[in-house]
Amino acid sequence: MPPRKRATPQGEPPGRSSARQLEDILWRAADKLRGSVDAARYKEFVLGLVFLKYVSDAFAERREQLPAGLREDRGEYAGVFWVPAAARWDHLADRAAAGTEGVGALLDDAMTAIMRENRALHGVLPTIFNRGDVDPGRLRELVGLISDARFTGPGDRPARDVLGEVYEYFLERFARAEGRRAGEFYTPSGVVRLLVEVLEPYSGRVYDPCCGSGGMFVQAARFVAAHAGRGRDIAVYGQEANERTWRLAKMSLAIHGMDPSGIGDRWADTLADDRHPELRADHILANPPFNMSDWARREGDPRWRYGVPPLANANFAWLQHIVFHLGERGSAGVVLSNGSMSSQQSGEGEIRRALVEADLVACMVALPPNLFRTTAIPACLWFLTRDKSYRRGETLFIDARQLGTMVDRTERVLTPADIARIAGAYHAWRGGTYADVPGFCRSAGLDEIAGHDHVLAPGRYVGAAAPASDPGAEPLADRVDRLTKELYAHFEEAARLEAVVREKLRGLS
């Protein structure tokens, strides 16, 4: 039976799908597999097929534009992946619908053929469809459903823009579906936009040492495009330890028209096996795993210039890795747990003091709770820089815990106004007309920070806001709910630290 055809809505060019239609089609595609494939894996099937459909549609679109005599000339397909005849979607859909051969083998062979013909995709695409753990009937239905989606851009929008939006939408939906396990591949979009708006990566080398699905790079490229730049104004470099997530990142960059080669030819643990040892980046954005223990540490590692990080917590390993890779005038934005701002155990306080005294800390931001669906641990942003010619010996503290809007009972988001307020304060402090705002932001010198024993929690510096003059103050019920969650998070952190101490005491006995 041939693939079903969808009605074309009014105003939509025939044969094309809007981003909303594509989202609807593809989420129904995900539902086809839900229950028959492990929740952590079904996104690989769906996003892998989406990518296959996209490269085939983009190839067909270019092919139709060429004179007949040039359609087999690979030189005419710059910017488009070459798709061999046996891997083109129409061919696959027809064969799958006929049911005369295994659909899993067809798809795996197509993925392999595309990787063989396109060096940038070597080892990236999933060949997981013929392993016997997926019902062929459901897989055939999935192929038919995705056949309804056509990834060519309506109007003057490039096809990759349409698919890029859809791909990001799905990463977010899959992250919501996976909950806590999604932390390795997804950072909330509001947090990513805040990092980018503060760092302003107009050009140069952009690095993410734990790049997940590549969201930092996509947002950086979007920032460049929004400011009349080109995607090629930045070059991206990254590393990811999880094989499946590494594949998602490579596909995401390819879909967004970015060179995926900077993520390397294999996945690897950044702290154990730094794949970019010579890189010095202009902008670094990162959301490392919070409070990671049992990481691979070498005490003589040149990255530990400010002190050897403890084995029980890698927060200061990540910070020092990032400082190590900063270029001469480079800047970084890093998401870490709140504990990194005040921890004194196992030498962490000494490392933090050394970073402050080296005048590397430009700004600290305390984030509101509930931004991360993957963890209840309160989070903050560290902004580091090697260029403080504009504010030597000072650090800006921003307490943003009161910002954000609850979108449901458990999730808060940063609005564009929130992001603009935080980024605006930072840019004003750097070179504009800046003034401290009690309860929100304050610039402090090295002596004052030393007076606080180098604890960097913004709440210690910004003071309290005038209560009567704040019409947007957090309602009492929300405040009680937020503080309760923070208290439970502190309980979890206390339990973790207790376990660390007990382990060390056992080592002494």
Side-chain angles (χ1 to χ4, degrees):
M1 186 174 69
R4 292 179 293 112
K5 302 297 182 185
R6 291 169 58 85
T8 301
Q10 189 174 7
E12 197 68 50
R16 292 174 173 173
S17 306
S18 68
R20 180 63 60 86
Q21 286 176 307
L22 292 172
E23 290 167 2
D24 177 58
I25 291 170
L26 297 176
W27 193 246
R28 284 192 287 129
D31 276 340
K32 289 285 181 185
L33 287 179
R34 205 190 312 273
S36 66
V37 177
D38 180 79
R41 291 191 61 212
Y42 74 87
K43 68 175 180 296
E44 295 179 73
F45 287 86
V46 176
L47 292 176
L49 286 181
V50 168
F51 186 82
L52 180 60
K53 180 67 162 59
Y54 162 71
V55 296
S56 185
D57 280 4
F59 177 85
E61 188 177 45
R62 177 67 58 83
R63 188 177 175 83
E64 288 171 4
Q65 295 167 351
L66 294 173
L70 294 177
R71 288 178 178 173
E72 299 305 317
D73 183 352
R74 295 185 62 152
E76 297 293 330
Y77 289 83
V80 174
F81 292 110
W82 178 264
V83 182
R88 293 171 193 168
W89 190 268
D90 288 346
H91 170 80
L92 296 173
D94 289 345
R95 301 281 289 273
T100 55
E101 54 193 304
V103 62
L106 268 176
L107 295 172
D108 278 353
D109 290 346
M111 295 287 186
T112 300
I114 291 174
M115 286 191 284
R116 186 168 54 240
E117 296 290 341
N118 298 275
R119 182 175 176 79
L121 297 177
H122 282 186
V124 172
L125 303 185
T127 53
I128 55 178
F129 300 94
N130 196 36
R131 293 182 179 177
D133 56 351
V134 186
D135 175 37
R138 287 180 182 268
L139 199 52
R140 193 170 287 110
E141 286 183 68
L142 180 57
V143 171
L145 200 51
I146 291 179
S147 294
D148 290 348
R150 183 162 175 77
F151 296 117
T152 52
D156 57 357
R157 297 190 66 204
R160 69 165 57 112
D161 281 3
V162 176
L163 182 61
E165 286 181 17
V166 173
Y167 198 87
E168 285 181 69
Y169 167 83
F170 268 82
L171 286 173
E172 183 176 354
R173 289 292 297 263
F174 283 124
R176 289 172 183 269
E178 291 188 32
R180 288 176 181 268
R181 288 188 301 180
E184 70 187 27
F185 71 86
Y186 186 77
T187 302
S189 58
V191 176
V192 178
R193 284 198 297 273
L194 175 56
L195 290 170
V196 169
E197 290 296 328
V198 169
L199 292 182
E200 298 185 317
Y202 287 104
S203 61
R205 290 160 295 189
V206 177
Y207 175 50
D208 183 347
C210 39
C211 66
S213 55
M216 302 285 190
F217 301 135
V218 171
Q219 193 60 38
R222 190 165 290 153
F223 176 88
V224 173
H227 292 80
R230 303 166 301 164
R232 291 186 294 276
D233 289 340
I234 59 173
V236 301
Y237 301 87
Q239 190 166 335
E240 171 56 43
N242 182 286
E243 175 190 355
R244 294 172 182 172
T245 307
W246 173 81
R247 292 179 192 277
L248 291 180
K250 297 277 273 191
M251 286 192 285
S252 181
L253 290 189
I255 283 173
H256 286 89
M258 305 172 75
D259 181 2
S261 61
I263 301 182
D265 56 3
R266 59 183 287 265
W267 56 98
D269 181 337
T270 300
L271 297 180
D273 180 15
D274 184 359
R275 307 292 289 178
H276 301 284
E278 305 301 325
L279 174 67
R280 298 297 180 267
D282 301 291
H283 313 280
I284 302 179
L285 305 101
N287 176 20
F290 288 180
N291 303 323
M292 188 173 76
S293 59
D294 297 327
W295 57 285
R297 183 183 71 172
R298 295 189 305 275
E299 295 203 3
D301 194 310
R303 291 174 291 182
W304 317 147
R305 179 176 176 183
Y306 303 93
V308 179
L311 271 173
N313 194 312
N315 286 345
F316 284 89
W318 286 109
L319 282 174
Q320 292 193 80
H321 171 88
I322 286 164
V323 170
F324 179 82
H325 283 284
L326 278 177
E328 185 179 357
R329 298 172 63 84
S331 297
V334 190
V335 187
L336 282 177
S337 69
N338 275 6
S340 64
M341 298 191 292
S342 58
S343 170
Q344 300 288 359
Q345 61 265 38
S346 304
E348 291 181 323
E350 286 301 302
I351 299 173
R352 187 172 55 249
R353 178 188 59 77
L355 291 171
V356 170
E357 291 181 347
D359 212 8
L360 288 164
V361 183
C363 178
M364 298 295 302
V365 179
L367 292 173
N370 305 114
L371 290 178
F372 296 80
R373 296 181 70 89
T374 56
T375 179
I377 298 174
C380 64
L381 303 180
W382 288 65
F383 288 98
L384 306 168
T385 184
R386 289 197 183 279
D387 176 20
K388 287 181 74 176
S389 55
Y390 47 90
R391 286 271 185 176
R392 294 194 192 283
E394 292 185 60
T395 295
L396 177 65
F397 293 91
I398 298 177
D399 189 345
R401 289 177 295 174
Q402 307 300 320
L403 302 186
T405 300
M406 296 298 292
V407 293
D408 58 35
R409 291 183 67 253
T410 60
E411 184 179 3
R412 184 185 298 266
V413 297
L414 290 173
T415 66
D418 296 329
I419 294 170
R421 186 181 182 194
I422 297 169
Y426 176 77
H427 294 304
W429 176 79
R430 277 200 57 169
T433 303
Y434 171 81
D436 292 338
V437 178
F440 177 64
C441 63
R442 185 163 183 273
S443 183
L446 294 180
D447 289 344
E448 183 178 355
I449 297 172
H452 286 283
D453 205 15
H454 298 97
V455 170
L456 299 180
R460 291 205 176 197
Y461 300 88
V462 302
S469 63
D470 184 6
E474 186 179 27
L476 178 60
D478 290 351
R479 183 173 175 80
V480 170
D481 182 59
R482 176 174 62 78
L483 291 175
T484 300
K485 289 188 172 74
E486 289 185 15
L487 180 61
Y488 279 114
H490 286 306
F491 285 163
E492 291 182 12
E493 179 70 1
R496 185 188 68 79
L497 293 174
E498 180 184 351
V500 171
V501 172
R502 287 181 180 279
E503 181 65 27
K504 289 187 175 298
L505 289 175
R506 277 195 292 273
L508 295 174
S509 61

